[in-house]
């Protein structure tokens, strides 16, 4: 199944510092997930001042339970960066 995830960072004063601290491990995991075909595309959501405030991800995993585990294992979740999730089942358009 394919999912769109909008993961919002905390809004407290230390939120950006937590993101930056977890970012290297998050990117390492994201690269592997991309190679494995789980992460289709992802990136940071920016505010009006170009500060990172969340992430958007398109993910392909077996089911919602697998997605929940996938998100729980991410360094941004473990590091309390992502604090709110909006999740939608979706399908990437095949334009080829």
């Amino acid at each position: 199944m394919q999912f769109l995830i909008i993961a919002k960072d905390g809004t407290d004063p230390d939120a950006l510092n937590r993101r930056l601290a977890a970012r290297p491990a998050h990117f390492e995991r994201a690269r592997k997930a991309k190679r494995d075909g789980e992460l289709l595309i992802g990136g940071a959501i920016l505010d009006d001042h170009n500060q990172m405030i969340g992430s958007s991800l398109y993910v392909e995993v077996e089911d919602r339970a697998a997605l929940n585990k996938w998100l729980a294992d991410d360094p941004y979740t473990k590091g309390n960066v992502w604090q709110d999730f909006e999740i939608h089942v979706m399908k990437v358009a095949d334009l080829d």
Side-chain angles (χ1 to χ4, degrees):
M1 294 178 75
Q2 294 177 341
F3 296 91
L4 163 63
I5 300 107
I6 299 172
K8 296 180 183 174
D9 295 1
T11 57
D12 59 279
D14 290 329
L16 183 57
N17 290 333
R18 283 194 308 275
R19 175 179 269 268
L20 295 175
R23 197 167 194 222
H26 168 76
F27 272 34
E28 181 178 330
R29 182 174 185 270
R31 286 184 193 96
K32 181 181 181 320
K34 178 78 170 156
R35 286 191 306 270
D36 292 347
E38 295 172 339
L39 177 62
L40 305 176
I41 192 166
I45 298 171
L46 306 178
D47 68 11
D48 292 339
H49 305 288
N50 288 328
Q51 295 297 310
M52 295 177 285
I53 59 168
S55 304
S56 64
L57 308 125
Y58 290 92
V59 174
E60 186 163 3
V61 294
E62 185 176 331
D63 55 24
R64 180 60 188 258
L67 176 66
N68 290 345
K69 180 174 180 354
W70 193 89
L71 288 170
D73 289 342
D74 193 280
Y76 278 178
T77 304
K78 289 180 174 183
N80 201 29
V81 175
W82 290 336
Q83 296 188 6
D84 184 48
F85 296 93
E86 183 179 329
I87 298 172
H88 302 275
V89 176
M90 49 84 57
K91 176 108 176 89
V92 173
D94 184 3
L95 301 176
D96 291 328

